[in-house]
DNA sequence: CGGGCTTTTGATATCCTTCAACTGTTGTGG
DNA sequence: CCACAACAGTTGAAGGATATCAAAAGCCCG
């Protein structure tokens, strides 16, 4: 009954062009979308050595890892993998953005988080993926067979150490999100999201006041535990208060980033009580 | 302004007997509460080899790890470490239960989660602990210096692999909690908590219908993003509907565990819409 | 037995959701 | 090039779920 309308493009990947390649077995991967990466190129698992899995690797190891990977380009709104599917691959988002979503039996959706260029998705010790991953924009992903990655862990513990590091950081970010969903008001939640976008931009050396929302109001609602109407109302309120300017629906300019940051940290006016 | 009354016993550890030992440097740990563990004993980092860090270790490694650890007994309501403290130790909960809490500047509290015997807390790649940890019951913890643990990782990659496994599972559990806070009604949240207690009990081979709440209504509220009054009201409603029986305030008997489980999975009556 | 907590329950307030209508945008085909 | 359809966003009104405030009852421990 809830927000499922309009998501017809998020149906199972087997019905979508381009993703069928992903679901194919490793052995028979079609040449169209999947190809071996040139080992002399930069690590295919990483868009940026800063945030990726292979930051601590030297050139030799990079080449070795690159040989194990396959690069795939995906259209916006494509399912990368589906909640409940066998977790055969670990994916690195080389370009573009994606989101991780859990769906309840009655259609309620909850976005675990958004992922941006350079980040990793789909690593799990369980048999199946515990959530679905969908591209938000045009995206290039790089995938490696999970068993091969585990083999690499044995050969090069430094990669496993790096994975532990990424996992622990993601855990910390998820705990932050827990606080947002557990104790923040609608305004604080939206501010926290905008603030996290700023942080993601800054980590990639891009503008921190011009934000391109990667998602619809409904997507933001799923991420923040709100309805799309509430997200819209909050953004309007921010605009009226002069905190932001909306250029179209997706481009947001922060006029008072500090005020937003303050709200995002839960230090808003209500703290003055 | 919110729920800080009554938590006077959770002040900074430097003022508390027994915890001062924890905060002392490794070199000068007092003999009273801290002692070297007999290397021939079972791994001190683990209460149960099933859930602990050392499950994959053979006897020789176990002894080696045990030499690096110190065991400490704590009273209920003791701060194990404080949000913002330097993350010097990784802690294994050998006996008892604890909770992890984040506090906002204005006093709002959010519990990240509860931890039970055999679970690990305080591992972070950051410099400081991102949350506080407090014992809920009488507890025995086992701690290891973080740098020594990292050294152990180098020597025995299998331990690092185990840590990655634990971290990934905790991440998954935290994502589950995200769904609870983002999209569950008050009744579903309480049911989800009861259900998680059942799971924790079963994992330790104990009764799955007699639950001992490890916390006050306020604590549960912090964990579930509710107020203590709402928690109380929901439990009363469950009692009136015959789902549970309350023996005193902390002992709960599940009369219809399946109904609770159904609510906890978000498959409650509301799904029938 | 008394004091301090915790819990329960009630009344009221508030924030957010729900439902609904309307507007704006984008892409497509005539 | 425009009309139209489909979808995203905005805004309003009403309702509901949970918070807040308040008071009483239960429980533990000295």
């Amino acid at each position: 009954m809830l927000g499922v309308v309009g998501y017809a493009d998020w149906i199972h990947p087997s019905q979508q062009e381009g993703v069928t390649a992903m679901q194919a077995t490793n052995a028979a991967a079609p040449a169209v979308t999947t190809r071996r990466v040139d080992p002399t190129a930069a690590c295919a698992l990483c868009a940026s050595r800063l945030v990726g899995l292979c930051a601590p690797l030297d050139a030799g190891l990079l080449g070795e890892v690159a040989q194990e990977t396959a690069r795939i380009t995906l259209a916006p709104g494509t399912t990368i993998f589906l909640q409940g599917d066998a977790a055969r691959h670990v994916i690195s988002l080389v370009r573009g953005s994606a989101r991780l979503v859990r769906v309840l039996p009655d259609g309620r959706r909850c976005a675990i988080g958004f992922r941006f260029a350079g980040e990793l998705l789909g690593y799990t010790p369980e048999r199946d993926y515990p959530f679905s991953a969908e591209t938000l924009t045009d995206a290039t992903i790089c995938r490696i067979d999970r068993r091969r990655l585990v083999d690499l862990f044995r050969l090069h513990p430094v990669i496993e150490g790096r994975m532990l590091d990424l996992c622990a950081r993601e855990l910390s970010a998820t705990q932050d999100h827990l606080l947002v969903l557990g104790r923040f008001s609608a305004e604080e939640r939206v501010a926290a999201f905008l603030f996290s976008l700023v942080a993601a931009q800054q980590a990639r050396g891009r503008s921190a006041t011009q934000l391109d929302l990667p998602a619809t109001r409904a997507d933001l609602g799923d991420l923040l535990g709100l309805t799309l109407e509430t997200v819209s109302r909050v953004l309007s309120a921010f605009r009226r208060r002069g905190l932001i300017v909306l250029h179209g629906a997706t481009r947001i300019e922060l006029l008072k980033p500090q005020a937003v940051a303050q709200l995002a940290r839960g230090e808003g006016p209500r703290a003055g009580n």
Side-chain angles (χ1 to χ4, degrees), chain A residues 160-175:
Chain A
E160 186 163 41
R162 178 67 183 161
M163 181 66 95
L164 174 55
D165 224 59
L166 291 176
C167 192
R169 276 175 219 283
E170 189 167 327
L171 180 58
S172 180
T174 307
Q175 289 169 344

Side-chain angles (χ1 to χ4, degrees), chain A residues 103-250:
Chain A
V103 184
L104 283 169
D106 64 349
R108 279 178 287 179
R109 305 175 140 264
C110 174
I112 302 303
F114 291 168
R115 294 290 179 271
F116 302 102
E119 297 185 311
L120 219 61
L121 21 143
Y123 179 79
T124 169
E126 306 293 336
R127 208 196 48 171
D128 301 332
Y129 294 115
F131 46 74
S132 303
E134 306 154 352
T135 57
L136 289 164
T137 63
D138 246 317
T140 305
I141 65 170
C142 184
R143 69 161 200 214
I144 184 169
D145 190 272
R146 178 164 72 150
R147 281 164 307 180
R148 283 170 195 271
L149 184 60
V150 172
D151 292 344
L152 274 176
F153 285 169
R154 295 237 174 81
L155 289 171
H156 308 291
V158 67
I159 300 182
E160 186 163 41
R162 178 67 183 161
M163 181 66 95
L164 174 55
D165 224 59
L166 291 176
C167 192
R169 276 175 219 283
E170 189 167 327
L171 180 58
S172 180
T174 307
Q175 289 169 344
D176 279 337
H177 199 174
L178 224 49
L179 180 59
V180 169
L181 294 186
R183 288 299 183 207
F184 273 21
S185 69
E187 292 205 345
E188 289 170 328
R189 293 183 200 201
V190 173
F193 170 72
L194 294 179
F195 191 62
S196 75
L197 272 191
V198 170
Q201 298 269 55
Q202 282 179 335
R204 286 164 186 75
R206 280 189 255 147
S207 160
T209 56
Q210 292 285 338
L211 301 175
D212 247 320
L213 291 193
T216 66
R217 303 289 186 264
D219 293 333
L220 297 188
D222 289 338
L223 184 71
L224 300 173
L226 302 168
T227 60
L228 65 96
E229 293 95 331
T230 300
V231 173
S232 176
R233 272 185 251 271
V234 168
L235 287 174
S236 295
F238 283 178
R239 177 173 46 71
R240 276 191 292 272
R241 270 191 265 158
L243 300 186
I244 63 173
V245 178
L246 291 166
H247 303 289
T250 67

Side-chain angles (χ1 to χ4, degrees), chain A residues 19-77:
Chain A
V19 187
T20 47
M22 286 211 46
Q23 299 284 323
T25 63
N26 224 25
V32 186
T33 52
T34 304
R35 63 182 176 80
R36 289 291 171 194
V37 173
D38 175 10
T40 63
C43 171
L45 264 181
C46 323
S48 145
R49 300 186 58 163
L50 246 179
V51 287
L53 183 62
C54 311
L57 299 187
D58 62 34
L61 281 185
L62 273 179
E64 193 176 328
V65 172
Q67 283 196 323
E68 300 287 348
T69 65
R71 223 169 239 252
I72 301 164
T73 299
L74 300 172

Side-chain angles (χ1 to χ4, degrees), chain A residues 92-113:
Chain A
S92 168
L93 198 51
V94 176
R95 185 182 57 91
S97 52
R99 55 177 207 151
L100 315 179
V101 189
R102 273 194 191 182
V103 184
L104 283 169
D106 64 349
R108 279 178 287 179
R109 305 175 140 264
C110 174
I112 302 303

